[in-house]
Amino acid sequence: MKVVISGYYGFGNTGDEAILESLINGLKKGDPEITVTVLSADPAKTSKAHNVNAIGRHDIPKIVRALKGANAFISGGGGLLQDSTGPFSVIYYLSLFSLAKLLGCRCAFLGQGFGPVKGAFNRFLSAFVLNSADVITVRDEASLEEMMRLGIRKPPLLLAADLAFLFEKPGRSELEELIRGEGFSLSAKNIVGVSIRKPVHAVKGFHEKLAAFLDSVSDQQNCQVLLIPFEAAGDGEESLKVLKLMKTKARLLTGLYPPEVLLKIISRLDCFIGMRFHSLVFAAISHVPLMGISYDPKVSSLLKALGSAELDMNFSTEEACSKLGHLMKNGHEEIKRLEIMTTSLKEKARLNFSAFSEYANPLKEISLFGIKINNLTISSAVSMVDSFIKDSRPHFIATPNPEIITAAQKDPELRRIINSADLCLPDGMGVLAASKLLGMPLIERVTGIDLMLAILKDTKEKGYRVFFLGSARGVAKEAANRLPGVNVVGTHHGYFGEHEEKEVLDKIKHSRPDILFVGLGAPRQELWAGRHYKGLGVPATMVIGGSLDVLSGRAKRAPDLVQKLGIEWLYRLAKEPKRVKRQARLMQFAWMVAKRRLLLK
């Protein structure tokens, strides 16, 4: 499965990077073979940090290519759809969502907060686009209620929790060496962590009030204050403003640390005061008594869910000190309560993945114009062929392309044989494109020659016996000679008549291959293999078209770029103009897809 993820990634925001890490880990746990591409402001950094493909979040050509090859698109985590910080965030993320839907991806809105969305156009756009989603999960009740008020009801709306809650509470690992350059020790007692950010709306005297409060924390509560930035761009600057206004000594964490390190640092604190949403999530995960300064409804919603103390932006020093004193006095009870609350929120966070799996995972099998197609990656297909060989019973493997699917519409025998195959894989970009346009996206194209080469590599390693049948005289033998290490036990050309058929069948039986590759041209090869594979007793019989010509060196595949663009048919037509009659079936297939697409609207 191939997934494209969009979010506020690559900006140095620890909370969003934590979301991305949780999202990737959850997807890979559900599907170890999944391929993830992330849209990022810093693709190189994102790729290195998370071991995924990453492309520029504004690189439209690359985004389009990624979406064309993807099965699903995830708008994942954070507070992406809001216009408090400007009107264009909503437009950007919803435009990506619409583009992914247009290109045939299953689209999910996972674990996000929604709103506030105040602009009339943005509200209209949100309702219009999100009602086309396949699944929507939100991280808090306020977001769910706002979506319902906006009329977003078509996809199932599920209340989950923020994806960062899936981080585990860190153990008491040694951090002293890591932060030696910061100039303080985490082994000291009564350390209070503080995470602040620039308020969305200016509040007069806010920095002065916060400095006075932290002076009281340091002085009256006999605590050491540690300021912890969560976003590289602005939190450090805001922290310095407060630090300069303080009369007592405090420390500022200056290093840029990944989420797992900040989580370990926070876990060593005695208390935490946070503005940043995910700084409070990290404190909750670590079971550190916390209180929040609510600059945004999402923070209020989180504090309500946690049952934790809240200060608004116009707090007084007396009010803040009173709440903090109560928090520290009842620290043990707060830890026990957070253990219970975060266990519940962790379970809710897992709902993001169960919802995605139910609605967005690819079908194991689809039916395209009455033709069965198995939805597998090439590596999964090779594993299945290996299981066929170990099973010893006869199995048939077909790779229908648009030409075969079109021909099968008028040939009941061909349709019956293809649908009886034990493995039926999509050979051709046309099949892949049709599946996406008709709402049944396939994982990837599995061409006959690519699958054959992958199987041959596997047989070489395992010593399986191989028989080549097809192409002109001498071609199969030449192909065998060009595959050192592959145990080819027999070959025969494909230009045999009915009177020679028994001789061919006897030769194959006598050779006792584990896998038989049949390249007689379509649809003759499908019909021949479908009629004889059971009688031959070969564990795996696969049709391969003209692959033997390529393996022998008599024919060349299209260049890699042409293959990636999905226009091999055009390359072959240019090389062999006599194929024009066969290519007419491609136009017929395209017309079939267009008509079916119109019926679905």
Side-chain angles (χ1 to χ4, degrees), residues 539-561:
T541 296
M542 176 181 166
V543 294
I544 56 170
S547 297
L548 290 174
D549 293 320
V550 176
L551 293 182
S552 70
R554 294 198 183 189
K556 291 185 178 181
R557 287 194 75 180
D560 289 343
L561 178 60

Side-chain angles (χ1 to χ4, degrees), residues 477-549:
K477 193 169 184 179
E478 289 173 20
N481 292 336
R482 290 167 62 94
L483 295 168
V486 177
N487 187 16
V488 181
V489 296
T491 64
H492 198 285
H493 66 83
Y495 288 83
F496 57 87
E498 288 185 20
H499 64 287
E500 301 172 280
E501 191 166 77
K502 185 177 183 305
E503 177 188 339
V504 173
L505 294 172
D506 287 343
K507 184 176 182 180
I508 295 169
K509 289 178 184 178
H510 181 73
S511 300
R512 294 182 297 106
D514 295 303
I515 182 163
L516 168 64
F517 291 105
V518 180
L520 304 177
R524 182 189 172 205
Q525 60 188 8
E526 285 79 12
L527 296 170
W528 190 90
R531 290 164 185 161
H532 295 295
Y533 80 96
K534 288 184 179 179
L536 288 169
V538 179
T541 296
M542 176 181 166
V543 294
I544 56 170
S547 297
L548 290 174
D549 293 320

